[in-house]
Structures are given as C-alpha cells and as structure tokens.
Amino acid sequence: MNAQPTLHVIDDRASLRAPLLFAVVSLLGFGFAYSLVGTAIGRAAFPSQATGSIVERDGRAVGSALVAQPFVDARYFQPRPSAAKYDPMAASGSNQARSNPDLRKRLAEETATIAAREGVLAEKVPAELATQSGGGLDPHISPASAEVQAMRVAQARGLSLSAMDALIAQHTEGPQFGLLGEPRVNVLQLNLALDAAQAAR
C-alpha cells in the first residue's frame, strides 16, 4: 500500500506570535526606553544645553544663548539679520546665490542702513552684519562687528568707549577647543552684561 502524505496544519496564531513580540519589544525598547535613557543622560551630563541653553535673569527667561533674537533699542548691540525673522521654528537662510541681483541689492541697502546707524563709512561695515547666517539664528557676531557698534551703544548708555571695548573683550570667545571657528561674541550675553554694568553704576 502507498503511504498517504502527512498534512501539517499551520497555527496562524503561533506564526504571528514571534513578529508581534519583536514589534512590541522594538517599540518599547527603541522607541520609548532608548529615548528616555538618552534624554536622562543628556539632562544629567549637559543640563543647560538639554533644556535649550535658556538664559535667566531674576528668575525670568530672557532668551537662549544658542538662538539669536532682535534688539531694537539703540542701547543694545544688534545680531546678524535673519531670513527666518528670528523664529526657531522657521530656521533658514535666504537661499539666494551670490549672483542674484536681489541679493546684491539687499546687501547694498542693508550695508548703507547699518553705516548710517553706526555713523561709519559703508566700507567699514563688516560683511556679516549685512548677511544672514545659514540657519538665520546665529547668536554670535565677530569682535569687529561688535566694535563697529560700540560707539552707538556707548553714547546711548552714557558710557565710555573704553568701557565698551573692555566688555567686548571680556565676552569674546575664542575658537572652539582652540581650533574650530573664529573668535566670536554672544550678542545676548554681551547685552545682559551691559545692563548689569549700568545697573551697578
């Protein structure tokens, strides 16, 4: 007699158990636990940076050390212009090529405006003060850009130019790790130092 073939019945529930278990473990492990542990380590090791590098004065948040913000009062140093209008949710550059006539026109107008505001010749205006950074939120300017604004701020506050120069030098940060980037000045920190210096008087 010929042997009858054996039929193997597949249990659908058993075949789904392994992939479902893997999906749950992956979701909880990598989607939840990993993020939670990473956030906890970040907060423990870098508490300021993990919360946005928020700067507080008298218990009130006044800005972030990592995000530029506009200052309209003549008593304050100004940051670089922003294509994103200083909105962290819309960080972007102008995306205009150097050959774009609209860009050249805007730079000429911006440079003329800054020169008039600071009382200097247009050729004395550092290019970065008229150009937008790649993300539109750069919180730093160069020491040269701060020095161009020093006379205006000193006159508006009734302080000496030497006092301005001293504050700029005090708040000039060197290249990161001594190698990366150029010397720079954090505009928010400098303006807060100005307020503190004037209050101390």
Side-chain angles (χ1 to χ4, degrees):
M1 295 179 61
N2 294 329
Q4 295 295 323
T6 303
L7 296 177
H8 297 281
V9 179
I10 298 175
D11 186 349
D12 289 338
R13 289 175 298 180
S15 65
L16 289 175
R17 188 176 298 121
L20 286 176
L21 181 60
F22 179 76
V24 171
V25 171
S26 297
L27 181 62
L28 293 179
F30 296 107
F32 179 71
Y34 176 81
S35 302
L36 193 63
V37 171
T39 301
I41 292 174
R43 279 183 170 270
F46 308 100
S48 176
Q49 294 88 336
T51 55
S53 297
I54 300 300
V55 178
E56 294 186 355
R57 286 294 181 272
D58 302 323
R60 182 173 62 90
V62 294
S64 169
L66 300 179
V67 179
Q69 62 188 68
F71 291 89
V72 296
D73 197 306
R75 299 179 306 123
Y76 293 104
F77 287 87
Q78 304 294 321
R80 295 178 65 178
S82 171
K85 302 186 185 307
Y86 305 101
D87 181 0
M89 302 304 293
S92 66
S94 66
N95 295 326
Q96 292 177 320
R98 296 173 69 89
S99 58
N100 189 316
D102 290 339
L103 175 63
R104 293 200 298 268
K105 178 183 177 184
R106 184 181 63 76
L107 290 181
E109 292 173 349
E110 189 75 23
T111 299
T113 299
I114 295 170
R117 183 186 73 199
E118 307 302 343
V120 299
L121 297 175
E123 54 265 29
K124 297 292 185 181
V125 176
E128 70 170 43
L129 276 183
T131 57
Q132 301 156 342
S133 63
L137 301 172
D138 191 342
H140 298 95
I141 56 176
S142 68
S145 293
E147 289 164 5
V148 164
Q149 303 181 61
M151 180 60 74
R152 166 181 55 81
V153 176
Q155 291 175 344
R157 288 180 176 267
L159 298 173
S160 67
L161 185 58
S162 60
M164 288 294 100
D165 291 338
L167 275 173
I168 292 171
Q170 182 182 348
H171 288 83
T172 297
E173 307 169 16
Q176 194 167 13
F177 309 122
L179 298 171
L180 305 176
E182 299 290 332
R184 58 200 184 280
V185 179
N186 187 291
V187 177
L188 175 61
Q189 298 286 13
L190 178 59
N191 284 334
L192 290 175
L194 272 170
D195 286 341
Q198 194 158 34
R201 293 180 61 200

